[in-house]
Amino acid sequence: MNLNLRPANECKYDAVSLGEVMLRLDPGEGRIRTARSFRAWEGGGEYNVVRGLRRCFGLNTGVITAFADNEVGMLMEDFILQGGVDTSLIKWMKTDGIGRICRNGINFTERGFGIRGAVGCSDRANTAISKAKPEDFNFDYIFGELGVRWLHTGGIYAALSEQSCETVLAAIKTAKKYGTVVSYDLNYRPSMWSAIGGQAKAQEVNKEIAKYVDVMIGNEEDFTACLGFEIEGNDANLKELNLDGYKKMINEAAKTYPNFKAVATTLRTVRTATVNDWSAICWADGEIYKAKDYKGLEIMDRVGGGDSFASGLIYGLMTTGDAEAAVNYGAAHGALAMTTPGDTTMASKKEVEAIMGGAGARVQR
């Protein structure tokens, strides 16, 4: 497949993300409700992708976001710097001492175990990035003068506020003007859209965004809720994916949005919080490619697995142009990311390619 990527020598960045980055507070093996200490991480649905592209795959990446200019914002910047992602595109916003003007988001996440599922409890209203407007970022400078080969953003950021809906559209329209490839993860969260118009607003915004997207990522619920496509014969409880119905839906979506060059989703069957069946599929050039199956995959921390899938997929598409190779990069990277704590990857490209090639879990000395 030909994505018409801009030449690397014309661009400062291989990839940038646009979205919210939150402080994740992790109680480890315990529960949020009984914790007396938390480990701090950074994480965000869009940011996690470029963090993986930098830390695992070695690409030059940056993050477009906004932080309240205080000590927590500086802590977030420090985490991002440790991951090697460029922070020069961050908008620092003035705030008062108690977060009335704007604040930085916090996300409490427990991992779950066995029959107890993972639990997330976010505190993200009134955050700096949710209040940021298109004019707070010079998108013509970022995509035109600096140069970006790939932009990744998604529905979690779009759902934050009316302003974020406008900002994501401004970003992707400008990116397309300068020939940047755009990927978008629908990532439907009904609780987030409810404050700004619910599912009707989600469809209004995402249907407009979809007109500019080259690589669309989303599961069956995402496509139904965000873009209005129905999947024939699907399980009402979404416990099992009707793969044939999903394939038909992708072909329909590609006819509706001929700009789609690839459509991808993870395939996850949750046996327990710590044992999942895991794989992925990718549509490109009218064909469906399925990744290797990871049956009975043992999970340490599932949060961020889908984002690590996206970064592996993007890396594969950027470097090989082969959808089958790309979906296997994504599935292997997502599987590895879920064997470590935190939202972001701790894997190396060498490990990803070894898993793709069938390597086992024997000790390496």
Side-chain angles (χ1 to χ4, degrees):
M1 61 184 297
N2 185 8
L3 289 167
N4 295 316
L5 279 165
R6 293 182 65 180
N9 60 7
E10 292 181 5
C11 299
K12 177 175 181 178
Y13 299 105
D14 292 309
V16 300
S17 68
L18 170 64
E20 183 169 65
V21 187
M22 293 190 292
L23 182 67
R24 173 176 169 176
L25 297 176
D26 182 348
E29 296 176 353
R31 304 295 306 269
I32 297 166
R33 66 181 70 171
T34 56
R36 297 297 179 267
S37 62
F38 293 88
R39 187 171 183 181
W41 315 82
E42 89 280 25
E46 297 82 17
Y47 160 77
N48 294 342
V49 175
V50 292
R51 210 279 194 175
L53 285 169
R54 173 64 187 91
R55 202 71 180 93
C56 180
F57 296 107
L59 301 189
N60 295 319
T61 67
V63 56
I64 305 172
T65 192
F67 290 142
D69 192 357
N70 60 21
E71 295 297 313
V72 176
M74 286 184 272
L75 171 62
M76 299 297 294
E77 182 191 35
D78 193 61
F79 279 130
I80 294 170
L81 286 168
Q82 289 178 48
V85 177
D86 184 80
T87 61
S88 64
L89 305 178
I90 294 173
K91 170 76 173 178
W92 291 92
M93 299 178 72
K94 290 183 179 179
T95 188
D96 56 9
I98 61 172
R100 285 172 297 196
I101 298 173
C102 69
R103 54 191 287 273
N104 296 303
I106 300 173
N107 180 29
F108 296 85
T109 302
E110 62 184 57
R111 304 174 200 168
F113 187 86
I115 59 172
R116 175 174 59 85
V119 175
C121 179
S122 62
D123 181 13
R124 67 199 307 178
N126 208 35
T127 57
I129 188 61
S130 72
K131 302 190 81 172
K133 298 177 181 178
E135 54 267 31
D136 288 320
F137 303 101
N138 189 340
F139 291 130
D140 281 296
Y141 172 72
I142 294 169
F143 295 104
E145 190 168 330
L146 294 178
V148 179
R149 304 182 77 202
W150 195 293
L151 167 66
H152 180 76
T153 187
I156 290 179
Y157 171 58
L160 283 177
S161 64
E162 291 281 0
Q163 294 97 315
S164 60
C165 293
E166 296 168 6
T167 305
V168 72
L169 274 165
I172 61 176
K173 287 179 180 180
T174 309
K176 293 306 297 177
K177 181 169 74 173
Y178 291 105
T180 299
V181 173
V182 174
S183 59
Y184 187 84
D185 192 334
L186 287 163
N187 248 335
Y188 180 62
R189 300 287 188 274
S191 60
M192 294 182 67
W193 285 101
S194 63
I196 59 171
Q199 187 172 319
K201 181 68 173 179
Q203 291 200 7
E204 174 193 333
V205 172
N206 283 296
K207 285 180 178 181
E208 180 64 19
I209 288 170
K211 297 174 186 176
Y212 303 93
V213 172
D214 299 290
V215 178
M216 183 64 85
I217 301 169
N219 64 26
E220 65 276 22
E221 181 186 14
D222 296 330
F223 274 91
T224 299
C226 297
L227 298 178
F229 293 104
E230 296 296 331
I231 299 178
E232 296 176 12
N234 218 25
D235 172 18
N237 297 316
L238 300 176
K239 290 182 178 178
E240 296 284 348
L241 174 64
N242 173 11
L243 197 53
D244 289 337
Y246 187 82
K247 290 176 180 178
K248 288 181 183 177
M249 183 277 297
I250 289 179
N251 285 313
E252 184 183 345
K255 289 177 184 175
T256 304
Y257 299 101
N259 47 291
F260 288 176
K261 294 183 174 68
V263 179
T265 187
T266 57
L267 306 175
R268 184 197 296 269
T269 300
V270 178
R271 304 299 179 188
T272 70
T274 37
V275 177
N276 292 183
D277 293 340
W278 170 260
S279 188
I281 56 174
C282 179
W283 172 95
D285 297 324
E287 299 291 331
I288 297 277
Y289 301 93
K290 186 174 182 298
K292 171 185 172 182
D293 285 317
Y294 297 87
K295 298 286 189 183
L297 181 69
E298 293 179 283
I299 308 290
M300 177 180 284
D301 185 345
R302 67 166 282 171
V303 179
D307 302 329
S308 292
F309 163 74
S311 60
L313 176 82
I314 291 167
Y315 173 77
L317 291 174
M318 290 185 76
T319 57
T320 72
D322 182 327
E324 186 172 19
V327 76
N328 276 290
Y329 267 108
H333 188 222
L336 278 170
M338 291 186 290
T339 68
T340 58
D343 284 31
T344 57
T345 183
M346 295 182 183
S348 69
K349 186 175 80 163
K350 181 179 179 181
E351 289 174 326
V352 171
E353 291 176 339
I355 295 297
M356 290 168 65
R362 291 186 61 162
V363 65
Q364 298 179 26
R365 303 185 195 275

